[in-house]
Amino acid sequence: MLLPLLVQNLAVPAAGIGHFEISECPRDTPLAGADVSVDGISYGTTNAIGVLDVILSADAHSYAVSQSDSITATGNFTITSGATLEILVCLEPLINRFLLKAPPRDQPYSLNPDIPRYGHYDCDC
């Protein structure tokens, strides 16, 4: 007879679901294998269609979504008790992102890395 009384007094924390849908920018192609972290804790990777559902406390949270060949995306959201929140994240690929270091003012730019006096070309490809 004491068991029902004990169960009634247990407080269940309010929770909801963060429904992450991850795609590659700008094509909106679903991105499988993207790592999803919430409040600094990794909750796993997206499935074949770029989705990961995470059960979270009803509260404000921050997220980071990353993949080895993409720029990490971050943001904030708030989970409401009993609700599912759709969180759409687009990761920008690193391919074709270039950094051209400036040479001294009296020398022209060069894309030739063998000529250090003209600066050089870095590629994160």
Side-chain angles (χ1 to χ4, degrees):
M1 289 311 240
L2 286 178
L3 187 57
L5 292 175
L6 291 174
V7 171
Q8 290 176 3
N9 290 330
L10 292 178
V12 177
I17 297 174
H19 177 79
F20 287 87
E21 292 185 21
I22 314 304
S23 63
E24 181 183 330
C25 301
R27 297 175 290 191
D28 291 329
T29 306
L31 201 53
D35 183 57
V36 177
S37 295
V38 177
D39 300 329
I41 300 168
S42 178
Y43 279 85
T45 58
T46 55
N47 62 17
I49 58 171
V51 171
L52 179 67
D53 288 330
V54 179
I55 298 173
L56 298 164
S57 63
D59 201 356
H61 300 278
S62 63
Y63 71 82
V65 178
S66 61
Q67 193 175 50
S68 62
D69 58 351
S70 299
I71 296 172
T72 299
T74 59
N76 298 298
F77 62 96
T78 300
I79 293 290
T80 304
S81 181
T84 296
L85 177 66
E86 185 175 66
I87 304 159
L88 306 176
V89 180
C90 177
L91 293 183
E92 183 181 346
L94 287 173
I95 297 172
N96 297 328
R97 292 186 57 89
F98 304 102
L99 171 64
L100 186 61
K101 293 188 177 180
R105 289 179 183 238
D106 61 341
Q107 297 175 356
Y109 283 95
S110 171
L111 296 181
N112 187 344
D114 297 326
I115 307 174
R117 66 186 182 93
Y118 287 107
H120 67 278
Y121 171 79
D122 288 334
C123 178
D124 292 327
C125 304

